[in-house]
Amino acid sequence: MIILFANQKGGVGKSTLAVLFSNFSVQKKNRKVKVVDMDFQQSLYNKHLNSDLLENEKLYEVELSKISGFRNIRKEAAQVPNLLTVIDLAGTMADDNLVQVFKDSGLIICPFCYDEYSVTSTFEFCYVVKKINPESKIILIPNRVKTSVKYETLDSVNQALSKFGELTSPVSDRIDFQRITTSYSPKTLDPILDPIFNKIFNDYIDESSWEVETI
């Protein structure tokens, strides 16, 4: 299965959640995972290099790729049984190669924030994805939610976004997220993220037939 962490808006925590999900998949679900960084900033790939410098045990491989390299990634994914290929997608919609990416990915995990610009960008992103692939499965994660802030439009935003996919419980903005590596997830994040990731596995991954057509 190919799993995207994607949103056209940057700064919503795609790379951070992609790392945490990948760590969870290996450490708590005993899955084979390969991570592909397609983001222009290469923050996930750089985090992996830093983890290597600390000589931590590798949980999975991380490679860089342009969006145009998706076809080869999908071919490789089809050759490894039960492999989860996690892609940290660039925050853009201005690439024609994205059409194939959205058509052939099994699951799209879309973090977003409740600020106006992020919400607008998330609506646009989900709308385009559904136009390209009406059958796409989108999971929306309210991320970096500030517990001290009252979001006046929260209910209406959630109701509108739920038309595109399933919303998870919110993930609060915490200092713990700055401590993650591609080999380590702080235990303090388990009560927040484990229920979300477990539900994704139960509803979308464990029930999957894992049948991927080779291109």
Side-chain angles (χ1 to χ4, degrees):
M1 177 179 282
I2 293 177
I3 300 173
L4 304 182
F5 280 77
N7 193 332
Q8 67 172 333
K9 175 71 172 65
V12 295
K14 297 192 310 295
S15 300
T16 298
L17 288 178
V19 169
L20 288 164
F21 179 82
S22 299
N23 292 356
F24 174 90
S25 299
V26 174
Q27 295 176 319
K28 298 188 177 182
K29 292 295 184 178
N30 197 30
R31 298 286 187 171
K32 301 175 188 175
V33 172
K34 176 181 179 180
V35 177
V36 182
D37 189 346
M38 288 188 179
D39 198 338
F40 308 123
Q41 297 179 351
Q42 302 180 5
S43 57
L44 197 159
Y45 182 74
N46 290 332
K47 188 180 289 291
H48 185 62
L49 292 181
N50 292 337
S51 184
D52 275 354
L53 291 175
L54 296 173
E55 298 184 351
N56 292 325
E57 182 182 354
K58 286 185 179 181
L59 299 179
Y60 43 80
E61 294 297 326
V62 178
E63 67 178 44
L64 290 173
S65 176
K66 295 180 179 180
I67 298 173
S68 58
F70 177 78
R71 190 177 183 86
N72 288 333
I73 290 168
R74 192 172 188 278
K75 282 183 179 179
E76 293 173 6
Q79 296 169 3
V80 182
N82 294 346
L83 175 69
L84 288 178
T85 302
V86 176
I87 298 178
D88 181 22
L89 199 61
T92 181
M93 297 297 280
D95 190 321
D96 291 342
N97 291 296
L98 286 170
V99 173
Q100 199 65 45
V101 175
F102 294 140
K103 283 184 176 179
D104 291 342
S105 295
L107 187 62
I108 301 172
I109 299 177
C110 178
F112 72 97
C113 302
Y114 280 117
D115 63 273
E116 182 179 357
Y117 185 42
S118 176
V119 168
T120 301
S121 296
T122 303
F123 274 115
E124 293 172 352
F125 172 81
C126 291
Y127 178 81
V128 171
V129 169
K130 284 294 188 179
K131 280 292 184 181
I132 293 172
N133 180 11
E135 303 303 317
S136 60
K137 299 174 182 176
I138 301 176
I139 307 295
L140 294 133
I141 301 181
N143 195 33
R144 296 183 173 172
V145 177
K146 300 184 184 301
T147 55
S148 60
V149 175
K150 182 178 181 180
Y151 298 95
E152 300 288 347
T153 59
L154 186 147
D155 290 340
S156 59
V157 167
N158 286 350
Q159 184 177 4
L161 285 176
S162 66
K163 297 177 182 178
F164 296 106
E166 180 178 351
L167 265 80
T168 72
S169 55
V171 177
S172 59
D173 192 15
R174 300 168 56 107
I175 195 71
D176 315 50
F177 286 105
Q178 298 179 19
R179 297 167 48 215
I180 73 164
T181 72
T182 53
S183 301
Y184 169 76
S185 299
K187 294 294 185 184
T188 50
L189 295 176
D190 289 355
I192 300 171
L193 295 174
D194 280 11
I196 294 174
F197 292 159
N198 270 317
K199 192 171 191 309
I200 290 174
F201 263 87
N202 291 339
D203 295 351
Y204 297 95
I205 298 176
D206 289 339
E207 297 302 318
S208 171
S209 66
W210 294 96
E211 293 178 358
V212 181
E213 179 183 355
T214 304
I215 300 177

